Amino acid sequence: MTSVDLNADMGESFGPWVMGQDAELLEVITSANIACGFHAGDPDVMAQTMATAVARGTGIGAHPGFPDLQGFGRRKMQLSQDSLRNLVAYQFGAARAMAHAAGGEVRHLKLHGALANMCSADEAMARAAYEGALSVDPEIIVMVLAATAQQRAVEALGCRWAGEIFADRAYNDDATLVDRSQPGAVIHDAELAARRMVAMVQAGAIITESGKQIPAAVDTICLHGDGKTALQIARHVRRALEAAGVTLETFPGRRGTV
């Protein structure tokens, strides 16, 4: 790999409750996944985050999740496929409107939390969610958890997509994320995160907790903006990748299979 994108989930503050260090993160990352108000965020937060991203020239992404403010979108919900399509289309539409008002545009979409994790194991569910987004914009780039059912769904749909790996999460041997309830599932050590990302980018593969390497489309690296060490991880990962000769830039999107 000679280039990779670095993204972060953000825009997750709500009213007077501040979540993360969005302004500082936007100085480091190349793409931002901005909450759409269902799992976190509100119109004012979305507007400010969008405006800052536009000013920084950062790629803007919609980050829809389950309607679960109290649980931060990390609790599983059961929805019909039609409701899931509408849920994603509704949030994506709001993000597009706010980005337009800020003088920018939404170039990608990434599912959040429990919605994303469920779709990483259920191709039909992932397909329904992505169909909701594609009904609004057929050319949107769908960011997927690489080598999971999410990727199989976009390949079947024939849409534009980008493969994502995580700097701050541990992996199971099926390329899904270790459940947050398990020890070591969330990585807080910035130096460890940086070493892992250089290794995965150079290998073009996900490296699981057991050491297994799963060949993957490594187009973008994610870190969670709500983490206490998110800014440290972002800076360490960026420095380590650049030191390894990797350029940080927004992903172009791809079509078809890897």
Side-chain angles (χ1 to χ4, degrees):
M1 296 288 293
T2 57
S3 68
V4 72
D5 176 73
L6 181 60
N7 78 77
D9 303 339
M10 59 176 53
E12 294 172 327
S13 299
F14 188 82
W17 290 277
V18 177
M19 179 75 77
Q21 297 173 278
D22 291 356
E24 292 86 351
L25 271 176
L26 283 165
E27 296 178 359
V28 183
I29 62 173
T30 49
S31 290
N33 317 307
I34 299 173
C36 301
F38 274 43
H39 77 275
D42 61 33
D44 291 337
V45 170
M46 186 182 284
Q48 180 57 57
T49 310
M50 295 277 192
T52 306
V54 170
R56 294 289 310 173
T58 306
I60 295 174
H63 196 34
F66 282 137
D68 179 27
L69 283 173
Q70 186 179 22
F72 200 63
R74 290 178 176 157
R75 298 183 292 191
K76 292 182 178 180
M77 299 181 71
Q78 301 299 325
L79 301 176
S80 70
Q81 289 194 358
D82 283 342
S83 290
L84 188 56
R85 291 184 188 96
N86 292 333
L87 180 83
V88 173
Y90 185 96
Q91 294 179 72
F92 182 30
R96 278 166 50 95
M98 296 302 283
H100 180 75
E105 63 177 357
V106 175
R107 68 185 306 268
H108 74 272
L109 176 134
K110 173 189 168 181
L111 302 179
H112 168 80
L115 174 57
N117 290 334
M118 292 172 73
C119 287
S120 71
D122 187 333
E123 184 178 342
M125 183 178 179
R127 181 168 182 141
Y130 299 148
E131 285 172 345
L134 294 167
S135 70
V136 177
D137 179 4
E139 290 301 308
I140 193 67
I141 303 171
V142 179
M143 189 184 290
V144 301
L145 273 68
T148 70
Q150 290 189 15
Q151 182 174 328
R152 295 193 294 274
V154 291
E155 288 175 344
L157 287 166
C159 63
R160 300 174 70 196
W161 63 278
E164 177 186 52
I165 62 172
F166 283 81
D168 55 5
R169 294 296 307 277
Y171 279 93
N172 297 308
D173 282 351
D174 62 356
T176 60
L177 301 176
V178 175
D179 190 273
R180 283 177 175 269
S181 64
Q182 300 303 310
V186 180
I187 295 165
H188 301 289
D189 185 324
E191 292 186 2
L192 172 61
R195 290 196 302 271
R196 291 173 73 249
M197 289 304 96
V198 170
M200 291 191 201
V201 169
Q202 290 178 335
I206 290 166
I207 302 175
T208 71
E209 286 299 276
S210 70
K212 178 181 178 181
Q213 291 196 13
I214 303 171
V218 182
D219 299 315
T220 184
I221 295 168
C222 174
L223 56 100
H224 292 85
D226 63 300
K228 292 182 179 179
T229 58
L231 184 58
Q232 289 176 273
I233 290 175
R235 288 171 173 166
H236 275 70
V237 168
R238 180 164 191 137
R239 282 198 297 265
L241 288 168
E242 289 176 337
V246 179
T247 301
L248 276 293
E249 60 184 6
T250 54
F251 50 81
R254 59 172 82 206
R255 290 186 192 270
T257 58
V258 178

